[in-house]
Amino acid sequence: MTKTKSKSPTASKLRERFINKALEYTGYQTTNGMENTFGQRLGLNGKPWNGLSIDVVASEAGVRLPVAHTVSTVALAHYLGHGFFHVRPRRGDIVFLQTSTASEFGTPHIGIVLDTKRHAKDGTIQTLEAMT
């Protein structure tokens, strides 16, 4: 009997799987303030959930991330420290955003890059985010 080796999905297929899974949550809203499905699943209900949603969506899509996104500053430090930061975003990248309402040392918001067509021209990207 011959064993066939299963082929791992390519990076681009994993990115699309990640995006498609995230899009399934479009329009999701919390109940009772900050109570949410992502926090419930990770044992962190009632906490800010934009990073939690990244972790849950990645898990559901079968995408292994190198770090948890529970605390966005920790995840950002990991990516910066391990050379994952780049200035030309790609579809499916995790993006860290500083919001206009956050203080200089505020916690960055996290999203997923959907479209970069205008990035080279004017720096605009389209993202999918939780808690917005």
Side-chain angles (χ1 to χ4, degrees):
M1 182 180 218
T2 306
K3 283 188 176 182
T4 56
K5 202 173 191 180
S6 64
K7 204 173 185 184
S8 296
T10 63
S12 62
K13 285 184 181 180
L14 286 173
R15 285 173 178 273
E16 289 305 313
R17 192 185 301 169
F18 181 49
I19 290 168
N20 290 334
K21 183 52 72 175
L23 287 169
E24 291 178 16
Y25 288 99
T26 299
Y28 176 81
Q29 295 183 3
T30 61
T31 58
N32 296 326
M34 293 283 281
E35 291 182 17
N36 63 85
T37 189
F38 309 107
Q40 289 169 357
R41 292 177 61 184
L42 296 174
L44 296 164
N45 200 15
K47 304 292 183 197
W49 52 280
N50 59 317
L52 301 176
S53 68
I54 296 287
D55 293 337
V56 168
V57 165
S59 176
E60 289 179 353
V63 175
R64 274 188 69 212
L65 298 174
V67 64
H69 297 77
T70 307
V71 179
S72 59
T73 52
V74 172
L76 178 58
H78 178 86
Y79 287 120
L80 290 171
H82 289 84
F84 289 115
F85 179 79
H86 52 270
V87 294
R88 289 181 35 196
R90 294 176 292 177
R91 182 172 164 82
D93 279 354
I94 295 171
V95 63
F96 294 84
L97 307 162
Q98 186 66 30
T99 62
S100 61
T101 57
S103 70
E104 182 180 346
F105 300 105
T107 302
H109 190 70
I110 303 175
I112 301 169
V113 175
L114 294 180
D115 190 347
T116 63
K117 290 176 188 148
R118 292 180 45 191
H119 186 263
K121 180 179 179 182
D122 63 12
T124 300
I125 59 172
Q126 180 184 8
T127 62
L128 178 62
E129 306 161 41
M131 284 186 64
T132 55

